[in-house]
Amino acid sequence: SVQDNMEDIMELARSEAMLFKFGSGAGTDLSTLRSHREKLSGGGKPSGPLSFMRVYDQIAAVVKSGGKTRRAAKMQSIKDWHPDVIEFIECKNREEKKVRLLIEEGYDPQEAYDSVLFQNANLSVRLSDEFMKAVEADQPWTTHWVTDPARNGPTHSARETFAKIAQAAWCCGDPGLQYDTTIKNR
């Protein structure tokens, strides 16, 4: 994971670049980064995890694995309770739609893919048993702030959120699923 401060966020970028340089991969849970909806202690507005995903994505694109032509092995995840979970679910699919439009306009497919974001990582949503029960019961799912877990973030239909995951995965292969409660219990 990465801590919710600029030093740690940029240290992750450096350490991932070095891992990629020597042919290894990295996986990061971005749930620790506050939502773009929250506030900074100085009163400003945070960037949110998707903004930093852009940075990490570009590092993975530039630093090829082991100095070869293969892209770095990278995974990024976010937990179901994060206020930016819907944006995370939809981000790669939105970029894939841009690629399809560029190809229809005559751009070379590789050039089209090189011009969009989030192409250098596999994305996964970490789902809890509680979320899956809410999907089954067709209940609302309330997210919470990273900085103050007692404070509610946006509420979404759990079933609709799960359908968005399935739709995006069908369209572009991401996001995948990680069953967070199972991971924690092992």
Side-chain angles (χ1 to χ4, degrees):
S1 68
V2 58
Q3 298 305 308
D4 188 38
N5 62 67
M6 191 57 70
E7 294 80 13
D8 208 48
I9 290 166
M10 290 297 111
E11 175 57 28
L12 176 62
R14 188 203 65 77
S15 65
E16 282 190 347
M18 297 312 292
L19 285 168
F20 300 154
K21 175 184 175 184
F22 293 108
S24 191
T28 307
D29 178 24
L30 301 173
S31 302
T32 53
L33 300 181
R34 74 184 78 194
S35 167
H36 72 278
R37 296 171 170 87
E38 297 182 60
K39 300 266 189 253
L40 294 172
S41 57
K45 187 175 173 164
S47 299
L50 267 68
S51 292
F52 293 110
M53 282 173 55
R54 291 174 180 209
V55 174
Y56 302 144
D57 181 66
Q58 289 305 300
I59 290 169
V62 171
V63 183
K64 300 297 182 192
S65 185
K68 308 286 190 247
T69 57
R70 189 173 82 70
R71 74 171 175 87
K74 178 160 185 49
M75 182 172 62
Q76 295 175 314
S77 66
I78 202 164
K79 292 181 178 154
D80 56 24
W81 55 258
H82 196 282
D84 295 352
V85 67
I86 298 297
E87 291 92 337
F88 181 88
I89 291 165
E90 296 174 338
C91 72
K92 198 164 184 177
N93 191 27
R94 278 195 313 271
E95 296 297 309
E96 291 275 345
K97 288 177 183 176
K98 291 178 190 176
V99 167
R100 288 191 288 279
L101 290 171
L102 289 169
I103 292 170
E104 285 175 16
E105 289 297 316
Y107 283 85
D108 174 73
Q110 187 60 52
E111 184 182 359
Y113 273 105
D114 287 346
S115 70
V116 299
L117 300 169
F118 311 126
Q119 299 304 306
N120 297 293
N122 295 315
L123 307 182
S124 293
V125 180
R126 296 183 73 162
L127 301 178
S128 62
D129 285 349
E130 293 79 17
F131 176 85
M132 293 306 297
K133 289 174 184 170
V135 170
E136 286 181 325
D138 198 14
Q139 295 175 328
W141 181 255
T142 302
T143 62
H144 62 77
W145 283 170
V146 174
T147 55
D148 181 4
R151 183 168 176 216
N152 288 343
T155 298
H156 311 283
S157 161
R159 191 169 283 176
E160 286 176 21
T161 299
F162 195 72
K164 286 179 184 203
I165 294 169
Q167 177 65 28
W170 180 82
C171 287
C172 70
D174 280 289
L177 301 178
Q178 291 181 353
Y179 295 101
D180 194 50
T181 307
T182 303
I183 292 170
K184 287 181 184 175
N185 290 333
R186 297 216 178 232

